[in-house]
Structure formats: C-alpha cells, structure tokens
Amino acid sequence: MKEYTITVVKTNNPAILKFETNHFLTKNKNYEFKNIDEAKKSPLAQQLFYLPFIKTVYISGNFIGLERFDIVEWDDVKDEVAQQLVEYLNADEPIVNEEEETSKKVAITVYAEVTPNPSVMKFVANKPIVPGAFEFKNIDEAKNSELAKQLFSFPFVKEVFFDLNYVSVSKYDVAEWEDVTMPLREHIREYLADGNEAVSKSAIAKTKEEAQDSSAPSQPVAELDDTSQQIVDILEEYVKPAVASDGGNILFQSYEEKSKTVNVILQGACSGCPSSTFTLKNGIETMLKNMMGDKVNEVVAVNG
C-alpha cells in the first residue's frame, strides 16, 4: 500500500493553499467542487466540506487545492488539515470515483522541439489544439485550461503557452530537459488523445469577443491609427510566423508617435529568452525601420 506524505505550498491567492502529495491522486482529470452536493463522486472532497471554513476543493494530479472562507487564516488550520489528509489517504479511502473512459482515442502525435530559449521546450501536435495564443504564468491563471493545470502539477513547470498546434513549456532550473521531456510529451499526447479540449470553449469564445484581432489585444483594430495598423500588418506577415516556429508569439501593444517607439509583448519561448533582446533590436527593429523609414526609432518589449 502506498504511504502518502503532504507538503503544504502557498499560491498567489492567499485564500487557496495547495497540499501536494508524493503520489498521483487522479488518472487524467482535474476536479473542482464548490459544495458537498457537487462532490458526490469524491468521498475525500465530501469529508473536507465538513470543515466549516472550506469553500472550494480542487483535486488534480498530485495535489489537493483548498480555498477557504475568511472566517479563518490558513496559518491557524493548515497543519490540522494536512494531518487529516495524510490519515485519510493512508487509510486507503477512495479519493475520486473516476468513471471509465468510454470515448474513442483520437489519433494524434506529439513531438518535442528545442527553442532558442534553453528554459523552454516546444511540444508540437499534428493537428490544431487551440485557435490562437493563450498564456498561463501560473496555475491560478489556468482555471480555463485543464491541460495547463495538469502541466503545472509537475513541480518543475514554470509557465505554459498554447498557440495553434503546439504547447511551449517553461521550466525552472531544478530539472533538466533530458530528464523531463519524455513524461511531459507523453502527458500532453495522452490528454489530447482522450479528446479533451486544451482550453475551455467558453474561454475561447470570450477571447474572440474581447479581441477580433489577436495582434492588437489592447485596442480594436478600428481604433488604430494608420501607423499602428501598418506596424501590426508587418508583425503579422513577417514576424509572427518566425517567432511561432520558435515556440513564441509577439503582440503589438502600442505606438508612441512622439518618441517613435513601438511597444510589443513577447510570449511563450520569446519571453525571457536570452536571445530575445538581440532578435528585438537586430531583427524586428531593423525590419520596421527599413520598411517604415523615420516613423520607427525603437522597439521595446514591455514585459521583458
């Protein structure tokens, strides 16, 4: 019988605490329960809801996430909760009654591809998985992506980025790609082969409503001045395909007419890449200067 241990981990949300385990708790899915009635398939979640301060229970991969009401502070109860979880798990009680997967597997292949950023690996599928770019800096931002949440259950995963037919995963330095690439690739392939959505349909619909053109997320295309629209067109036609091949993305943020400065956002493998400054100055900036003359003086990445 497995012997479980619990490690308590803080999140960016002070109301949510993660209780990481040394063994996986679920097979392929993440579960979120808002109350005891929703938790019928999870005896563990039902037991947790008997604690009066528990607001939401998340069960995913190798951790249990708990959101509390404001009637208590985690520092006062986290040790008691951790002990209760250890006792429950080591008693071999059921965690989630997972239904047997009846859907047919989807024929899909995924291969790993290195990027110019040594901290980022690109996992490419043989078919589209999302209609556009989605970036997740941490698990709290990944509420609309089951796949991203599962990837964050790997302790070495720092950031996750989706675009069209690939996933870019950014890692912490504690792990080497030669040790973790295979399990990540297989996890992504299995998830997609089960017919699961990489990003929820509601999140995709919301993104389309908020920005008809993903190249200008901060303002609708109709509101762009002529110079800004020309910059967007150049980025779309000449720059985006190149950075996408490296597992990244570039978004137009703004154009400052007085200083002739173009502000852009770098995502995926481009964000934090040691070579991104060189690419920005010697590639994108030079291109815009050559194509737009004295309208462009400098290109700046506002996030890096």
Side-chain angles (χ1 to χ4, degrees), residues 30-50:
N30 296 326
Y31 299 89
E32 177 180 342
F33 307 106
K34 293 290 188 181
N35 53 60
I36 197 168
D37 291 331
E38 289 185 2
K40 292 178 180 179
K41 66 165 63 175
S42 173
L44 172 57
Q46 285 186 316
Q47 178 168 314
L48 288 167
F49 277 116
Y50 282 112

Side-chain angles (χ1 to χ4, degrees), residues 143-162:
K143 61 183 179 180
N144 292 317
S145 171
E146 291 295 328
L147 177 55
K149 284 194 288 186
Q150 289 190 17
L151 291 174
F152 277 115
S153 70
F154 291 90
F156 53 82
V157 171
K158 183 180 181 181
E159 298 176 10
V160 177
F161 175 78
F162 299 150

